[in-house]
Amino acid sequence: MIDKIQISNHLNTKIFGHTVYSFESIDSTNSFAKQLKNDEAPHGTVVISEEQTSGRGRLQRNWISPAGENLLFTIILYPDFGLEKISLLPFAGSLAIADAIDAITGLSATCKWPNDVLINGKKVCGMLLESSLGNSIQEKIILGIGLNVNQTEFSDELKFKASSLQIESGTIVNRVQLLQRILEELENRYEQLSHFPQQRLLNDWRMKALLFGKKITVLESEFSFSATAIDVNEDGSLLIETEDGNKRNIFAGDVSLAYN
Ligand code: BTN
């Protein structure tokens, strides 16, 4: 089981990952993180589990992951910046993860709006950002990350759109080393977002983004339509051009690359 001692051994962060709650099995690391009191969970606290019995994904989906193969963890943050930057935390997260994957595996990961990480067009990582006021007036952000590391089998339904680092690289990946690198990259991205205009983070994210100029299918609630992805706006929404030539911003929902 990945625990606090392994994580802290050669961890190069100032605060991220210095407080750790680790489990063999839990309902959801995000749910556990949410109910921790602020004084039990300082900024940068990590909650990690080998298995989740009720892992949650975006858009009310489940997040299913076999025990002991992947990284399932949550980072608790108390941002020292406003909502306009808080909404960009998933961009900091996906960029940190993509950079950590590249550094540790030699693969070339890309970021897909709003907060997925893909390799060779297949999703290897998803993120669920939640917020609560906790027991004080300070905003508490719960950034949950599910990263497929050493999983080798996916259901028929998933195997054309999901993958893992082991499948894509052909080698077993050291999960502790990868987690440490993610925490280091994420701490740096958090500081970048905190100290500089958000355009700086978004420009870096754009360099790793997959969709721009491509035909996509947009899924908004139950409704889907074709469009071209143009850019990401300063508030994190996606600028698209619909088939009738109109430009629109998408704030929530999901997009996939159109193959026809
Ligand atoms: C997505 O739908 O792409 C987001 C998936 C997020 C899954 C992670 S796994 C760790 C954390 N705990 C949860 O219950 N969900 C997130």
Side-chain angles (χ1 to χ4, degrees):
M1 182 175 104
I2 297 181
D3 61 15
K4 181 181 165 47
I5 297 172
Q6 293 178 58
I7 295 172
S8 59
N9 189 22
H10 299 302
L11 177 67
N12 269 321
T13 59
K14 285 187 233 148
I15 31 181
F16 281 30
H18 289 207
T19 301
V20 175
Y21 292 86
S22 65
F23 299 90
E24 202 65 73
S25 182
I26 199 173
D27 53 351
S28 151
T29 56
N30 267 31
S31 304
F32 182 85
K34 244 190 210 174
Q35 55 81 42
L36 280 173
K37 299 197 174 66
N38 289 15
D39 58 358
E40 299 169 319
H43 183 64
T45 292
V46 170
V47 180
I48 183 163
S49 185
E50 294 291 345
E51 180 188 48
Q52 294 183 126
T53 51
S54 306
R56 294 184 284 113
R58 289 182 62 242
L59 311 172
Q60 265 72 48
R61 295 175 186 141
N62 296 327
W63 186 262
I64 295 165
S65 168
E69 298 183 358
N70 297 324
L71 282 173
L72 305 167
F73 65 104
T74 298
I75 301 170
I76 298 169
L77 304 167
Y78 305 96
D80 52 4
F81 39 73
L83 214 59
E84 72 293 346
K85 285 189 176 181
I86 289 179
S87 59
L88 298 182
L89 278 170
F91 294 83
S94 59
L95 191 52
I97 288 162
D99 285 339
I101 290 173
D102 291 3
I104 298 289
T105 67
L107 289 163
S108 189
T110 51
C111 297
K112 196 195 94 181
W113 186 91
N115 43 18
D116 291 346
V117 178
L118 276 63
I119 294 173
N120 298 324
K122 291 183 176 181
K123 175 164 169 172
V124 294
C125 180
M127 233 169 288
L128 178 65
L129 185 95
E130 301 181 280
S131 69
S132 71
L133 280 180
N135 56 348
S136 79
I137 48 153
Q138 193 173 26
E139 180 124 41
K140 174 178 172 187
I141 297 292
I142 288 132
L143 182 62
I145 295 169
L147 172 53
N148 300 333
V149 184
N150 290 321
Q151 182 172 351
T152 50
E153 280 172 28
F154 287 89
S155 66
D156 286 345
E157 189 201 337
L158 279 181
K159 68 180 168 212
F160 297 106
K161 48 184 185 186
S163 191
S164 75
L165 305 187
Q166 183 180 153
I167 293 173
E168 297 304 317
S169 68
T171 48
I172 296 176
V173 176
N174 182 319
R175 290 184 301 152
V176 174
Q177 224 187 343
L178 180 63
L179 174 62
Q180 290 171 326
R181 185 64 185 243
I182 290 170
L183 294 174
E184 290 159 18
E185 299 279 351
L186 190 60
E187 189 172 81
N188 290 338
R189 289 295 174 189
Y190 179 89
E191 286 188 357
Q192 181 188 40
L193 192 56
S194 173
H195 299 309
F196 298 98
Q198 60 252 48
Q199 277 306 342
R200 208 182 273 209
L201 171 75
L202 283 175
N203 281 340
D204 291 347
W205 188 88
R206 281 186 181 99
M207 311 269 282
K208 278 232 158 255
L210 173 77
L211 295 178
F212 303 137
K214 302 228 167 70
K215 281 244 172 284
I216 55 169
T217 304
V218 181
L219 178 67
E220 263 187 327
S221 329
E222 301 291 281
F223 184 65
S224 79
F225 58 93
S226 300
T228 303
I230 308 288
D231 199 2
V232 64
N233 298 305
E234 203 165 298
D235 60 3
S237 61
L238 183 71
L239 176 65
I240 61 161
E241 186 175 314
T242 53
E243 285 188 321
D244 54 16
N246 288 322
K247 294 226 169 72
R248 260 191 65 183
N249 295 326
I250 304 289
F251 290 91
D254 217 356
V255 297
S256 56
L257 270 176
Y259 291 99
N260 43 8

